[in-house]
Structures are given as structure tokens and as C-alpha cells.
Amino acid sequence: TVCHSPTGTGARPPVYYTNDDRNGDGVAGDAGDDEWFHAEVRSRVNFTDIAASPLLRKPSGFHHSGGRVVGFDSTAAPGDPARSTYDLFLNWILAGAPK
């Protein structure tokens, strides 16, 4: 996505989905950066109230200037292709958000 990159335009997102030198060691996309990325994404999970997690709500169109992301229709029934990506993230969270 254009906005979720260090060079994106408009409002700056909290997480960039690109290989970036997140840990400041001078190398972009190494294992240390992956650790930081996992921590950044996992910090957007509310394990007490999973449905309220920004990681699920934002791409579902709630308080997200980019609107709803394809596959993130949280109003569709589980298994519906309209929420396939939502279900993928939900299952990752339910599994404990592992690396």
C-alpha cells in the first residue's frame, strides 16, 4: 500500500509494510528489523477485546482514512470471501500472534 511506506503521502500510518531499517543498524530487512516489525504489528492487537484491535478495525474501515481494505468486511459471515483477510488476521491473533 502506498500510504503504509516510509515515502507514502498523506497521514503517516503507525506501521510501515516495507523492508525498513527499523532497528537502526544500517541494514534494511534483516532479522532484527523483522523482530521490530512483529512487535509493532502485535502492539496493535487488543488481546482483552480482540474485535476492538486496531489491527482489525482500521482496515475494516473504522477510523481509517483509506476506507475498508478488500477482504476486511467484518460485517460479512465468517468464511465469506469479503472477509477472508480479516479472518486470516483474526486466526493469527487467536493463535497468540506468533512470529
Side-chain angles (χ1 to χ4, degrees):
T1 52
V2 175
C3 62
H4 283 264
S5 70
T7 58
T9 58
R12 306 306 301 152
V15 177
Y16 301 122
Y17 302 137
T18 59
N19 282 337
D20 194 28
D21 184 14
R22 297 172 192 280
N23 62 358
D25 67 357
V27 180
D30 64 5
D33 296 325
D34 290 346
E35 291 286 331
W36 278 71
F37 179 70
H38 179 257
E40 289 175 4
V41 172
R42 201 170 192 277
S43 74
R44 270 95 185 145
V45 175
N46 179 342
F47 287 99
T48 305
D49 184 0
I50 292 173
S53 297
L55 188 62
L56 294 175
R57 291 191 49 81
K58 295 256 183 188
S60 295
F62 297 95
H63 308 292
H64 185 247
S65 59
R68 184 176 17 202
V69 175
V70 175
F72 262 95
D73 185 352
S74 60
T75 64
D80 187 310
R83 68 174 272 161
S84 60
T85 309
Y86 180 94
D87 288 339
L88 180 71
F89 277 73
L90 176 61
N91 289 331
W92 175 73
I93 293 168
L94 292 171
K99 294 178 192 170

